[in-house]
């Protein structure tokens, strides 16, 4: 058990409901504040879409294609960090050595170390499986950016005005962490 009663573990099938709900709650957050750093669909997805997303994620974890670390507090999933190969589920390719990182912690559990604990676990698993991890961070999300810098991510470019949120245009900054081959456990 880590700081703040956070336990980080593998993905379980039962995590569907809490993880889908924390994702769907981002649609309310976007309307209220607009600062969250994940690009969303124009319309809130239907529950059936979330079932399809989760089943696919679970399958890909079982096939060791995707890394998922889950943060649990009081027996319930409150956040997750995923690292998936660039290029999606397509056959191995010239970009398969690159992992794309995504992270989300439920609003009421932010600022208590879940994000940091999730990154530690997911990046430890990524060593030996990916040679590079990259992510895109919104210019409106300094909290997330600071977290990534602490783990050694460095800025590799910025797409100005890439995100259209309501009347605003937000820059998307690319950040990359190199994980040299031979640095960590093997596949
Ligand atoms: C970004 C996110 C995952 C961070 O998770 P978290 O659990 O809040 O992060 P932690 O509590 O582990 O804090 C990590 C770092 O964030 C920063 N941070 C945390 N709380 C903060 C606050 N209230 N104000 C400013 N910075 C804060 C600090 O740098 C902290 O480092 P520290 O441990 O040395 O203080 C979370 O805020 C989130 O899910 N946001 C919405 C989704 C999103 O934007 N995802 C990012 C996609 S790129």
């Amino acid at each position: 058990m880590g700081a703040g009663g956070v336990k980080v573990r593998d993905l379980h099938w039962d995590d569907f409901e809490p993880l889908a709900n924390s994702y769907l709650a981002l649609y309310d957050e976007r309307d209220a504040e607009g600062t969250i750093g994940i690009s969303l669909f124009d319309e809130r997805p239907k529950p059936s879409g979330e079932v399809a997303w989760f089943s696919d994620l679970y399958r890909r974890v079982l096939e060791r294609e995707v890394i998922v670390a889950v943060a649990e507090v009081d027996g319930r999933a409150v956040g997750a960090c995923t690292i998936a190969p660039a290029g999606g589920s397509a056959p191995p390719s010239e970009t398969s050595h690159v992992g794309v990182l995504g992270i989300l912690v439920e609003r009421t559990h932010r600022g208590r170390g879940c994000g940091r604990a999730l990154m530690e676990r997911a990046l430890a698993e990524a060593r030996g499986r990916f040679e590079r991890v990259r992510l895109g961070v919104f210019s409106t999300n300094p909290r997330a950016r600071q977290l990534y810098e602490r783990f050694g991510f460095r800025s590799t470019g910025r797409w100005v005005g890439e995100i259209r949120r309501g009347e605003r245009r937000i820059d998307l900054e690319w950040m990359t962490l190199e994980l040299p081959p031979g640095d960590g456990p093997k596949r």
Side-chain angles (χ1 to χ4, degrees):
M1 193 80 65
V6 184
K7 175 178 156 187
V8 179
R9 57 160 172 80
D10 293 339
L11 183 70
H12 297 168
W13 185 249
D14 294 355
D15 295 331
F16 165 64
E17 208 171 333
L19 292 184
N21 285 340
S22 39
Y23 169 69
L24 292 173
L26 293 179
Y27 286 80
D28 300 322
E29 268 191 67
R30 170 176 66 177
D31 297 341
E33 305 174 21
T35 53
I36 52 133
I38 293 179
S39 60
L40 300 173
F41 298 106
D42 288 349
E43 304 278 327
R44 179 189 296 253
K46 294 193 170 61
S48 56
E50 292 311 284
V51 172
W53 159 75
F54 189 80
S55 338
D56 190 55
L57 182 69
Y58 198 76
R59 175 189 63 76
R60 295 176 77 196
V61 168
L62 293 180
E63 288 173 2
R64 278 187 57 78
E65 190 187 315
V66 172
I67 293 166
V68 182
V70 172
E72 180 187 295
V73 174
D74 296 333
R76 191 172 64 87
V78 299
C81 178
T82 61
I83 304 181
S89 282
S93 72
E94 292 171 338
T95 58
S96 299
H97 62 293
V98 179
V100 181
L101 186 144
I103 185 166
L104 169 62
V105 173
E106 203 178 281
R107 187 178 198 175
T108 51
H109 286 88
R110 289 181 203 152
R112 299 180 189 180
C114 289
R116 179 195 280 251
L118 284 169
M119 295 275 297
E120 260 168 29
R121 164 79 168 243
L123 290 174
E125 284 191 39
R127 285 175 203 282
R129 281 174 72 176
F130 296 105
E131 292 173 29
R132 163 182 291 185
V133 177
R134 72 166 157 84
L135 56 86
V137 62
F138 287 21
S139 51
T140 47
N141 207 356
R143 174 194 288 202
R145 193 182 189 287
Q146 197 177 345
L147 176 64
Y148 305 141
E149 272 189 333
R150 289 230 171 92
F151 279 91
F153 282 81
R154 293 293 169 253
S155 178
T156 48
R158 178 180 281 249
W159 288 355
V160 175
E162 175 75 1
I163 312 295
R164 176 176 45 79
R165 180 161 286 168
E167 300 297 304
R168 298 158 71 200
R169 289 295 194 123
I170 299 168
D171 295 355
L172 185 67
E173 183 175 357
W174 293 105
M175 297 187 86
T176 298
L177 176 70
E178 301 296 335
L179 299 175
D183 184 16
K186 292 287 164 264
R187 258 177 260 244

